[in-house]
């Protein structure tokens, strides 16, 4: 944990907004710039910022290793799950028109879940890579 | 102007030998590049580049530097061979680029093929980039997500601490 | 000439990245060079998509001309994949540093050479 008071105060102030901004980028991605990739990276950057200021041990309390590893795989599975759901409802793989009675609404629903899957995977991978580098001592 | 700034940063980057300075310069380079992308109307890409290039990859490079030495050794070879090779490649590429369509030419093939259909907004999502990414090119994005996942798995496989076992699998040290 | 200015900048960045990758022996510097090379490819894709007087491809009734969204999609995914592969390369560099004690290419090759020679001598002695 860093002793620098300035960094800790600024970090405490900024980190909630970084995480909130990531969620905004995710859920507003249909109407403004943004989407799953950006949201995942920004979310991971917020947590990395937290880990840099308050130390790895505190970061592990927020985001334990097992959770990150689950996120890593869950995103891809969610993405494939959306594809399979389209298949089960009588469409093609990754066909969103069948996800709802109204095809346009189905498209929106499909895009949302797919972007969520992308966000989860990207966030998990970035965090996991950071943890791997950070937890490895000088060899 | 911005592009000239980018070029200067790259030249300094190629000549500096302290790796710490190299990492910081590459962060600056990413921010400049993000600004260039905003000027090219690619707001989504600029956002990603600013977050990824200047944020995450700088942190990763610093993490790797912490595990390695932060000073580069003096080059032992003369740089003439790589320099002439790169320059020859550059001349060839510029010769080839002269045959490409002009900058911002509305008649260029890239604006004629599938894009008019994307811009008709069949799925009624105002941000066309999101619509194309998740809907029209869903398979593509599934592949990319899998690649990211695989890279993460690869890093885990490379850097995971093995449980200490008898008979050391350490290889040559 | 001025119509092709963006291509010239792209080519400049590309050969700068190529030069760093070929000429420098340090593995981390090589990876930075590789990512510069990558950014030049982003520029190569994005520059032709720009239309003068166009706006970002977010549809709104007030605008009629949009820049091409397709390169944006391709490059968006390429950036994230790029950082993932960069991390993979860095992980390899860290492992190499742990085994060889250096990340300079010349020293790694010299070490390899010495190990090979030692192995050959050992085999000759056994034979």
């Amino acid at each position: 944990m860093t002793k620098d008071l300035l960094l800790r105060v600024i970090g405490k102030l900024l980190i909630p907004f970084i995480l909130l901004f990531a969620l905004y980028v995710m859920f507003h991605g249909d109407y403004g710039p943004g989407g799953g990739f950006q949201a995942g990276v920004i979310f991971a950057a917020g947590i990395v910022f937290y880990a840099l200021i308050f130390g790895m041990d505190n970061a592990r309390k927020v985001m334990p290793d097992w959770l990150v590893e689950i996120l890593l795989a869950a995103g891809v599975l969610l993405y494939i799950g959306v594809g399979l759901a389209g298949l089960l409802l009588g469409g093609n793989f990754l066909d969103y028109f069948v996800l709802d009675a109204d095809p346009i609404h189905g498209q929106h629903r499909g895009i949302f879940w797919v972007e969520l899957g992308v966000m989860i995977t990207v966030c998990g991978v970035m965090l996991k890579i950071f943890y791997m580098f950070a937890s490895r001592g000088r060899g | 102007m911005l592009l000239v700034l980018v070029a200067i940063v790259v030249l300094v980057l190629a000549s500096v030998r302290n790796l710490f300075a190299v990492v910081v310069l590459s962060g600056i380079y990413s921010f400049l590049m993000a600004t260039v992308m905003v000027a090219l109307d690619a707001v989504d890409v600029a956002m990603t580049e600013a977050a990824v290039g200047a944020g995450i990859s700088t942190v990763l490079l610093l993490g790797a530097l912490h595990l390695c030495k932060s000073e580069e050794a003096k080059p032992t070879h003369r740089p003439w061979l790589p320099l002439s090779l790169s320059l020859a490649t550059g001349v060839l590429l510029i010769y080839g680029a002269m045959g490409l369509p002009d900058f911002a030419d509305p008649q260029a093939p890239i604006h004629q093929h599938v894009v008019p259909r994307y811009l008709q907004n069949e799925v009624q999502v105002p941000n066309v980039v999101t619509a194309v990414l998740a809907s029209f090119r869903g398979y593509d994005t599934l592949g990319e997500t899998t690649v990211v996942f695989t890279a993460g798995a690869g890093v885990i496989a490379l850097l995971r601490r093995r449980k200490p076992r008898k008979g050391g699998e350490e290889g040559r040290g | 000439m001025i119509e092709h200015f963006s291509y010239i900048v792209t080519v400049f960045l590309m050969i700068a990245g190529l030069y760093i990758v070929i000429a420098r022996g340090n593995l981390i510097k090589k990876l930075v060079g590789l990512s510069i090379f990558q950014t030049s490819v982003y520029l190569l894709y994005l520059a032709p998509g720009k239309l003068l007087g166009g706006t970002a491809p977010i549809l709104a009734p007030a605008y009629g001309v949009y820049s091409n969204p397709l390169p944006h999609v391709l490059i968006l995914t390429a950036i994230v994949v790029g950082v993932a592969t960069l991390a993979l390369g860095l992980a390899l560099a860290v492992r190499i540093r742990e085994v060889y004690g250096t990340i300079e290419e010349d020293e790694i090759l010299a070490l390899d050479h010495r190990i090979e020679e030692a192995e050959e001598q050992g085999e000759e002695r056994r034979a």
Side-chain angles (χ1 to χ4, degrees), chain B residues 2-172:
Chain B
L2 212 56
L3 290 173
V4 175
L5 214 58
V6 170
I8 293 173
V9 170
V10 169
L11 282 183
V12 177
L13 210 151
S15 61
V16 168
R17 213 157 49 234
N18 186 331
L19 288 176
F20 185 72
V22 166
V23 171
V24 174
L25 276 172
S26 79
I28 294 173
Y29 171 78
S30 287
F31 263 127
L32 287 175
M33 216 56 200
T35 324
V36 172
M37 285 163 182
V38 172
L40 289 173
D41 287 343
V43 278
D44 290 79
V45 185
M47 200 176 199
T48 321
E49 173 72 19
V52 166
I56 298 280
S57 65
T58 308
V59 169
L60 289 183
L61 280 167
L62 284 179
L65 270 193
H66 171 70
L67 298 175
C68 302
K69 221 170 36 176
S70 72
E71 192 74 21
E72 194 181 357
K74 276 214 167 88
T76 47
H77 308 293
R78 289 295 170 88
W80 303 124
L81 179 66
L83 197 62
S84 55
L85 190 68
S86 327
L87 284 181
T89 319
V91 169
L92 268 179
L93 284 175
I94 286 182
Y95 174 71
M98 287 301 149
L100 289 173
D102 292 351
F103 179 68
D105 176 13
Q107 298 304 318
I110 182 175
H111 298 298
Q112 306 296 329
H113 184 46
V114 287
V115 174
R117 189 181 153 211
Y118 288 159
L119 287 176
Q120 275 168 7
N121 201 9
E122 276 170 42
V123 297
Q124 293 181 9
V125 170
N127 187 354
V128 185
V129 174
T130 303
V132 176
L133 182 88
S135 182
F136 292 101
R137 301 185 66 90
Y139 276 86
D140 201 3
T141 311
L142 175 61
E144 306 275 5
T145 315
T146 318
V147 170
V148 172
F149 168 75
T150 316
V155 172
I156 294 176
L158 278 169
L159 291 186
R160 166 156 284 172
R161 286 231 177 276
R162 291 206 195 84
K163 298 268 182 311
R165 227 179 302 168
K166 288 274 163 80
E169 278 177 59
E170 276 305 301
R172 52 199 182 195

Side-chain angles (χ1 to χ4, degrees), chain B residues 14 16 41 48 76 110 115 126, chain C residues 24 29 59 67-68 76 81 106:
Chain B
V16 168
D41 287 343
T48 321
T76 47
I110 182 175
V115 174
Chain C
R24 294 315 184 91
K29 186 89 181 252
L59 300 179
S67 290
N68 197 325
L76 187 63
V81 169
D106 295 340

Side-chain angles (χ1 to χ4, degrees), chain A residues 91-111:
Chain A
N92 294 321
F93 188 66
L94 287 177
D95 190 354
Y96 309 142
F97 285 115
V98 294
L99 290 181
D100 197 273
D102 178 14
I104 297 294
H105 203 227
Q107 277 286 342
H108 288 192
R109 190 173 281 182
I111 289 175

